Amino acid sequence: MEGLSPTDRLFITQVGLEPVLRQRAAALGAEHLFGTDLVSFETRDDHVVSVIRPHGGGAEEVVVSGYLVAADGAHSAVRKQLGIPMTGRGSFADCVTIYFKADVNPLMGDRNLSVVYVNHPELMGFFRFSITGDSGFLAVFATLEPDGARNTRVGEDISGEQCVELVRTALGSVSGLPVDIESIQRWSAMAATAGSFQGGRVFLAGDAAHVMPPTGGFGGNTGVADAHNLAWKLAYATQGIAGPGLLDTYSAERQPISALTVEQAYTRYALRVDPSLPRDDLMPPLDDAAIELGAIYRSSAVHSDTPPEQQLDDPHARTWTVGARVPHVPLAVDGNQISTLDAAGPGFALLTDHEQELWQRAAGEAGEALGVAVAVKTIDRGSLPGPTEPAAGTAGHGWTGAALIRPDGIIAWKPDLPAAQPAAQLAAVLAGLLSRTAS
């Protein structure tokens, strides 16, 4: 992943990440209602009516909103009420994740291991350890009997004492190691994707939209990508900047790439964890960076005369493909260095390596006509890393001199240069991307 982002990659658990996200959301004005159940919801022509209630009982409250985002997990009641089916591999193991405290520093030594797969005569699973080496979790996919019989129903009936022994066994039969079990989470290994991520004014995100085994570590990242894609579209729609058609592009963009990611996670599970699963119909394993950062979106929210046929691009090739994530390139802005990945938010950005003043005027006129911010940022051609021509077998045509970047960092359009009537052209493109008519 080196060179693909202005920041280093960080492995972080959900327990570690959630407080950070919660604090940031609260600072931006979000209200959190913990321990609250969604009793019911009803969609109307121009709003959604939801009934909520404190978990365990209490007074019900009616909430009226423009839209509803259902992130209610793999067994989403909202998805079921919408009648949206799940398709894929279904469930193939009842697993358990054991969160524990134990000093594993003597076993780890100086090694910095993010994921440790366990292929033991008695169990199959993987470890994740804290950076301090005094805690972690063990995900157990299956236990093995002395005769080789495989038990994939680990989570059905397991005690705390058994969990201690599983941790010790997975660490290498360290019988005397003190192990304190913090919690035991039972879950099903599944691989399935919702047929659509939208039902009218209701959107599915995270596990409600796609479930996959943890092999590959794609689950959390895929859920974050859902939110990243949907957030700016909801903001623009609720602010009247975009027409309702922009929201339809959420499912069009996220559902196909999520289905591919689910299959990639299943492929890794079958190849790494469970040799008993059939392999005759597996999707060949693809590059991790392409899965996580190489999605190519096709919808009315990207403007391209020749959309690519493949779903993934190679982010290392920096092809500048319309519909793909903008490559990371350092930019000098007001004496500070930022990345092309940060150039757009909260509005659009037009990156260019020439005719700065021409595009500044065009962006100002187009932005004023549509009521949307379009920042113009200059790219130094000499700062473009590597060759600007795409590698063989990848999509796109390299850097061509200008590119319009969406608020989520996706390349929305590359104009033909030199541009004729750039303001009118930019306004027409933006209007199409936002599902509205330029005024």
Side-chain angles (χ1 to χ4, degrees):
M1 299 292 184
E2 186 177 353
L4 301 181
S5 170
T7 60
D8 294 331
R9 185 173 186 176
L10 173 67
F11 289 97
I12 186 170
T13 64
Q14 183 175 346
V15 173
L17 178 62
E18 282 187 351
V20 178
L21 297 178
R22 184 167 63 248
Q23 183 178 9
R24 179 58 176 162
L28 293 173
E31 179 183 3
H32 295 94
L33 300 177
F34 294 101
T36 302
D37 295 331
L38 176 66
V39 178
S40 64
F41 73 93
E42 183 180 351
T43 58
R44 308 285 176 81
D45 290 340
D46 59 355
H47 63 278
V48 180
V49 178
S50 302
V51 178
I52 60 175
R53 178 178 59 205
H55 187 68
E60 294 184 349
E61 181 181 350
V62 177
V63 177
V64 179
S65 60
Y67 302 93
L68 174 67
V69 179
D72 54 339
H75 304 289
S76 171
V78 175
R79 185 189 66 232
K80 293 175 182 177
Q81 181 174 326
L82 292 173
I84 298 176
M86 296 287 283
T87 59
R89 308 282 182 167
S91 175
F92 37 87
D94 289 332
C95 309
V96 62
T97 298
I98 305 166
Y99 292 86
F100 65 89
K101 287 186 176 180
D103 183 8
V104 298
N105 283 293
L107 299 173
M108 293 289 289
D110 296 331
R111 294 174 296 178
N112 181 18
L113 303 177
S114 58
V115 178
V116 180
Y117 277 94
V118 178
N119 294 290
H120 190 277
E122 297 179 31
L123 67 91
M124 302 288 291
F126 74 89
F127 277 113
R128 289 292 299 268
F129 299 115
S130 68
I131 194 170
T132 53
D134 59 358
S135 64
F137 68 78
L138 170 66
V140 182
F141 301 124
T143 55
L144 304 175
E145 302 298 330
D147 61 358
R150 188 182 190 89
N151 173 30
T152 58
R153 303 298 179 215
V154 184
E156 286 186 347
D157 184 19
I158 191 168
S159 66
E161 292 76 12
Q162 289 173 308
C163 287
V164 169
E165 290 308 311
L166 285 171
V167 171
R168 288 173 174 166
T169 299
L171 288 172
S173 299
V174 187
S175 58
L177 179 70
V179 176
D180 179 23
I181 303 300
E182 294 186 295
S183 67
I184 304 169
Q185 301 293 326
R186 296 165 178 83
W187 52 278
S188 293
M190 304 171 65
T193 309
S196 173
F197 288 10
Q198 179 182 5
R201 289 181 167 267
V202 182
F203 303 90
L204 306 180
D207 287 354
H210 39 71
V211 289
M212 64 193 79
T215 38
F218 302 134
N221 291 333
T222 308
V224 170
D226 293 340
H228 193 234
N229 185 284
L230 180 59
W232 74 274
K233 297 174 180 178
L234 278 173
Y236 274 32
T238 55
Q239 294 168 16
I241 297 174
L246 177 63
L247 291 172
D248 295 336
T249 68
Y250 168 65
S251 184
E253 293 183 350
R254 289 301 304 157
Q255 199 276 345
I257 188 62
S258 296
L260 181 147
T261 305
V262 167
E263 276 299 299
Q264 285 295 305
Y266 179 80
T267 289
R268 285 158 172 75
Y269 188 92
L271 295 179
R272 297 176 183 177
V273 173
D274 192 346
S276 68
L277 292 174
R279 301 187 179 188
D280 54 345
D281 62 344
L282 289 181
M283 178 184 290
L286 302 175
D287 177 66
D288 283 7
I291 296 170
E292 294 180 2
L293 301 176
I296 302 175
Y297 292 146
R298 304 178 183 87
S299 76
S300 61
V302 293
H303 184 90
S304 177
D305 295 331
T306 56
E309 294 182 359
Q310 69 260 40
Q311 289 182 273
L312 297 180
D313 205 4
D314 177 7
H316 294 283
R318 298 179 172 88
T319 60
W320 292 85
T321 300
V322 174
R325 173 182 180 266
V326 61
H328 160 56
V329 178
L331 300 176
V333 177
D334 299 329
N336 299 314
Q337 189 176 86
I338 68 169
S339 168
T340 47
L341 292 164
D342 303 316
F348 285 79
L350 186 68
L351 306 177
T352 180
D353 65 10
H354 74 302
E355 296 182 327
Q356 173 82 359
E357 294 183 1
L358 176 68
W359 284 115
Q360 287 279 15
R361 291 194 300 271
E365 294 175 19
E368 183 178 359
L370 292 164
V372 58
V374 183
V376 178
K377 305 289 175 64
T378 302
I379 277 190
D380 178 3
R381 260 189 186 266
S383 69
L384 293 172
T388 57
E389 293 301 318
T394 59
H397 304 285
W399 171 253
T400 56
L404 181 66
I405 312 301
R406 299 190 330 193
D408 58 352
I410 298 298
I411 301 172
W413 173 57
K414 291 197 297 187
D416 294 328
L417 300 176
Q421 299 182 319
Q425 190 178 20
L426 179 57
V429 168
L430 282 170
L433 298 177
L434 298 174
S435 296
R436 54 178 289 191
T437 303
S439 57

